[in-house]
Amino acid sequence: MRTLLLALVPVLASAATPAFAQANPQIDYPGFQMLTASVAPERAQRLLAFDAFKAAAANPGALLLDARSKDAFQRGHIRGAVNLPLTDFTAESLAAVIGANPDRPILIYCNNNFSNHRSPVPLKSAALALNIQTFINLVGYGYPNVRELADVVDFTDPKVEWVAG
């Protein structure tokens, strides 16, 4: 039996290779890598301290975007934020939320901007913080005017204007 299985391994592997070798035209990992590399220097210049972030969010026409899950958003968010979960980003959904002006100022924050580390903002792995994917996605969809909260704040601080669900 073992000999038969060992004999079948190369056959099974060769049968599987063509399917794995075919690229899915709807997934472009090299394109994602290039986008990520090109966005990095830009993102570094678009980080805002809390006071500047709040001031920018108060400007007419600015959009405070919370890309966390709908459930997390409903359990708590910064006053004035609009929710569009990252998993729901498409060209159409973004245009519906952001509007016709791709240069509209967009301000983002995520769980890792809060020191509370409890629901609805549990700490995420730093390398996987939602800010990173949200920033990359927004720029990749053609929205160049993204700003990101740089600081870590306590959502119970009245200055944050946290709305509990």
Side-chain angles (χ1 to χ4, degrees):
M1 180 69 164
R2 185 171 193 279
T3 306
L4 176 62
L5 288 174
L6 290 175
L8 284 175
V9 168
V11 173
L12 292 173
S14 66
T17 301
F20 292 123
Q22 293 176 0
N24 180 337
Q26 298 184 108
I27 299 172
D28 183 3
Y29 189 73
F32 175 77
Q33 289 176 306
M34 289 190 317
L35 175 62
T36 300
S38 70
V39 165
E42 184 178 331
R43 182 178 167 267
Q45 297 175 7
R46 303 224 175 179
L47 299 169
L48 298 177
F50 178 75
D51 290 338
F53 181 85
K54 288 290 286 186
N59 286 332
L63 175 68
L64 180 55
L65 181 65
D66 185 322
R68 296 175 306 133
S69 71
K70 181 179 177 182
D71 181 60
F73 180 82
Q74 288 175 340
R75 287 185 280 133
H77 58 273
I78 296 175
R79 182 178 312 285
V82 172
N83 181 234
L84 180 62
L86 178 65
T87 56
D88 293 341
F89 278 23
T90 64
E92 295 78 16
S93 67
L94 286 164
V97 169
I98 296 169
N101 180 6
D103 292 318
R104 181 180 187 184
I106 303 168
L107 295 111
I108 62 172
Y109 65 92
C110 84
N111 290 11
N112 288 28
N113 289 117
F114 300 97
S115 60
N116 309 83
H117 309 308
R118 66 178 192 263
S119 181
V121 290
L123 185 65
K124 305 281 187 168
S125 171
L128 301 173
L130 187 59
N131 292 25
I132 298 167
Q133 294 95 330
T134 301
F135 195 99
I136 293 167
N137 272 260
L138 288 167
V139 172
Y141 273 107
Y143 298 96
N145 201 4
V146 182
R147 301 289 186 272
E148 179 183 331
L149 178 58
D151 293 340
V152 176
V153 298
D154 179 337
F155 67 64
T156 65
D157 183 332
K159 293 188 305 187
V160 173
E161 297 184 85
W162 189 257
V163 177

